Amino acid sequence: QAWKKIKASGQLGEIVDLMKANEGAAGVQKQGCKALRRLCANDAANQVKVAAHGGIEAILAGMRAHTGAARVQTWGCEALAYLCRNTDNQVKIAALGGIE
């Protein structure tokens, strides 16, 4: 139910903002990636919204900042996998070096 409330309230941007403001905190990055992955799973509209709010950049920044944090990497990859279901997001992820 909580996920439905987040989707309905437009709090996707708040998750991305928290990730951007706390790039050095692995725990925040892990939870942010996990939340974005959950919100983008099988939801084309959220895949577009997350990208529009800078979510792709936030995920990639978190993954780059915490290369040794397995859970940040796992949740980040899973979030990007769902975001890649959108063709425009595929191009953006590639342009930002997300397939290095």
Side-chain angles (χ1 to χ4, degrees), residues 3-63:
W3 295 112
K4 289 180 182 179
K5 288 180 183 177
I6 291 171
K7 286 180 184 183
S9 70
Q11 292 178 334
L12 296 169
E14 292 179 24
I15 295 168
V16 173
D17 290 343
L18 283 170
M19 291 176 71
K20 289 178 179 178
N22 296 282
E23 190 175 301
V28 172
Q29 298 305 311
K30 177 186 81 171
Q31 292 301 325
C33 287
K34 185 177 180 179
L36 294 178
R37 177 250 182 242
R38 177 79 186 258
L39 292 165
C40 288
N42 305 312
D43 191 321
N46 277 347
Q47 293 161 11
V48 172
K49 289 177 189 175
V50 167
H53 282 291
I56 293 170
E57 293 88 345
I59 293 166
L60 291 172
M63 292 176 73

Side-chain angles (χ1 to χ4, degrees), residues 76-88:
C77 285
E78 289 190 21
L80 291 173
Y82 280 111
L83 286 161
C84 277
R85 292 183 176 183
N86 175 284
T87 305
D88 291 335

